[in-house]
Amino acid sequence: FSPADVTVVFVLGGPGAGKGTQCAKLVDQYGFTHLSAGDLLRAEQERPGSQFGDLIKDYIKNGLIVPMEVTIQLLENAMTEALQKTGSTKGRFLIDGFPRKMDQAVKFEETVCPAKMVLFFDCPEDVMETRLLKRGETSGRSDDNAESIRKRFRTFVETSMPVVTHFEKEGKVVKLDATPTPDQVYVKTQLAVTDKLG
Ligand code: UP5
Ligand code: MG
């Protein structure tokens, strides 16, 4: 596909900030295709015959960023597949939980497509921790436990926040308070997206 034909929105925020929850609402209203990098990695980990299964498992449990080649390839494939399904060359994508390291940000924008805007869901760690521990009671996610959550927070602060700062300098970031209820957060999300993309 050609970058000129696709609209990409990066959706960033700490672990448990509510990225996936807000993306689901945006899909219903704006017809985006929602691609969560974490979901794609978890699916690849489960795929029989994947050469990256063990590696992904290890990185996710430790809250570390899987080498970018793997994630970018999964995203690019998913974008191509989604476009093929619609039979159109044009599409709008929410890329959720990516890029979360500077090398990924640079490489994706160079080789796949630059982002039109970045939604950044800002949430204090204590709120995110409560949400993730609660979800961990039923999610079955290997990283929804106190120890993995601590590691994810650390990676977010040290590795992923510099990406947000980078896009802020480019004027692409809309920062949203992620602490109110999902519906309240969505009101602001909606305004931001309509304002930037129409
Ligand atoms: N919830 C949501 N919004 C709420 C609200 N406003 N009020 C109250 N509760 C709210 O929400 C989390 C929980 O909170 C849910 O129970 C929800 O109901 C509730 P969710 O919408 O799932 O939040 P989200 O930000 O999507 O949290 P998630 O856990 O998915 O964030 P992570 O960024 O940690 O997870 P992700 O799947 O993106 O990545 C997992 C791992 O994959 C990473 O740690 C990393 O190891 C790896 N990864 C890479 O290596 N490279 C990548 O590029 C991406 C991921
Ligand atoms: Mg998520």
Side-chain angles (χ1 to χ4, degrees), residues 15-16 18-21 42 64 66 97 100 131 135 141 152 180 182:
K19 302 181 292 296
T21 301
R42 283 182 286 273
L64 296 170
V66 172
R100 51 216 288 161
R131 290 180 187 175
R135 187 180 65 185
R141 265 179 63 162
R152 290 158 74 190

Side-chain angles (χ1 to χ4, degrees), residues 51-181:
Q51 54 174 319
F52 303 116
D54 290 340
L55 175 134
I56 294 171
K57 198 173 181 177
D58 199 53
Y59 273 75
I60 287 186
K61 187 149 203 291
N62 289 300
L64 296 170
I65 311 299
V66 172
M68 66 170 172
E69 290 75 13
V70 177
T71 315
I72 291 177
Q73 192 61 61
L74 290 171
L75 283 168
E76 201 174 357
N77 291 350
M79 289 171 78
T80 305
E81 252 176 56
L83 288 171
Q84 276 167 358
K85 256 188 206 157
T86 62
S88 167
T89 53
K90 293 183 196 292
R92 291 177 141 190
F93 295 92
L94 293 170
I95 309 283
D96 162 5
F98 176 96
R100 51 216 288 161
K101 192 171 173 180
M102 267 316 293
D103 66 347
Q104 295 177 326
V106 171
K107 187 83 175 172
F108 185 91
E109 289 207 305
E110 264 174 24
T111 63
V112 184
C113 182
K116 293 269 185 326
M117 74 180 295
V118 178
L119 292 170
F120 170 53
F121 292 100
D122 189 29
C123 199
E125 280 189 6
D126 59 332
V127 174
M128 297 193 289
E129 186 186 30
T130 306
R131 290 180 187 175
L132 292 175
L133 287 173
K134 176 90 191 122
R135 187 180 65 185
E137 292 167 11
T138 53
S139 70
R141 265 179 63 162
S142 65
D143 59 349
D144 280 348
N145 58 79
E147 195 188 338
S148 294
I149 290 169
R150 250 196 316 279
K151 293 177 177 172
R152 290 158 74 190
F153 285 170
R154 186 174 182 156
T155 299
F156 177 68
V157 171
E158 291 177 355
T159 309
S160 306
M161 270 313 289
V163 176
V164 177
T165 307
H166 161 79
F167 286 123
E168 262 169 355
K169 287 185 189 138
E170 296 187 338
K172 287 183 179 175
V173 175
V174 179
K175 181 173 167 176
L176 298 152
D177 176 11
T179 53
T181 66

